[in-house]
Amino acid sequence: MKIEVQHKIPKKILTPTSGFLNGYSHSLNPYAGCAFACSYCYVRQSPVGLFRKQEWGTWVDVKQEARELITKEIRNLRKRNKEITIFMSSSTDPYQPVEYKEQVTRALLEAMAETPPDFLFVQTRSPLVTRDLDLFLQLKDRIRISVTVETDLEDIRKKFSPQAPPIQARLKALQELKEYHLPTQAAVAPVLPFSNDFPAKLAQVTERICLDDYTGDGSQGKRTERLGINDIYEKDQLEYWYKNRPSEKALEKMRTSFKPDQILVGQKGFMPF
Ligand code: SF4
């Protein structure tokens, strides 16, 4: 799919949080728009997705001067003795394909390695995340890297997010981060249909998982319903997984490979520290 890329200089790069992310002081989005175009992406129903009048997944805005902006904003917040806890990213993937060339995320991490926040949560589903191992190691005591792995079944992944990276590549990325003793988690969010081997596969690559389903979309599943996600389930007679709180089903199964304190459910799995 052709992606329209535009370059824009924002006034600010940090956004004060509310709602689902209210445990953080700010969210940080290196890009607007996301080429991974997941079918269930709740951003499709948010102002960013709705007001653009272009299909979600077909456009990306690159935020320029990100390095200068974040350094200035963190310094200003420090002067006011504010705690700075950052969620990157809430409405884009910081390691989507455009990052190979533009390196906005890397520039932000370089700036934060020099002028660090109190805590940084990195949320992605891209194996490109391992490129920045050197910077994560500098931020090691104040970071968690969360890689989305919604299922272990590649055919299921292709039905729901055909433009997102393959599952095996994400597991490999988690494995690599673990080898460097970086704090990680696999975000099984949303829980999609998975095989009985899934818990053991995850336990090999991370010591923490977070489970969530569409009820965590900020509207108890209503936003997701409006996206017509149930059609994908119905087409393959998978409705059982949609209607029956899949995160509860997953919780039971994951207990075979993870200790209770290694499994977080819903919002708790995305909170700072
Ligand atoms: S990667 Fe995240 S932001 Fe991008 S489309 Fe998928 S759910 Fe949305």
Side-chain angles (χ1 to χ4, degrees), residues 159-173:
K159 287 182 206 302
F160 288 86
S161 53
Q163 277 139 253
I167 297 300
Q168 194 51 37
R170 303 187 211 177
L171 292 172
K172 196 163 165 275

Side-chain angles (χ1 to χ4, degrees), residues 33-38 40-43 56 90-93 125 161:
C34 185
F36 287 154
C38 307
Y40 52 72
C41 179
Y42 64 84
V43 190
W56 183 249
S90 56
S91 59
T92 190
D93 192 306
R125 68 196 62 216
S161 53

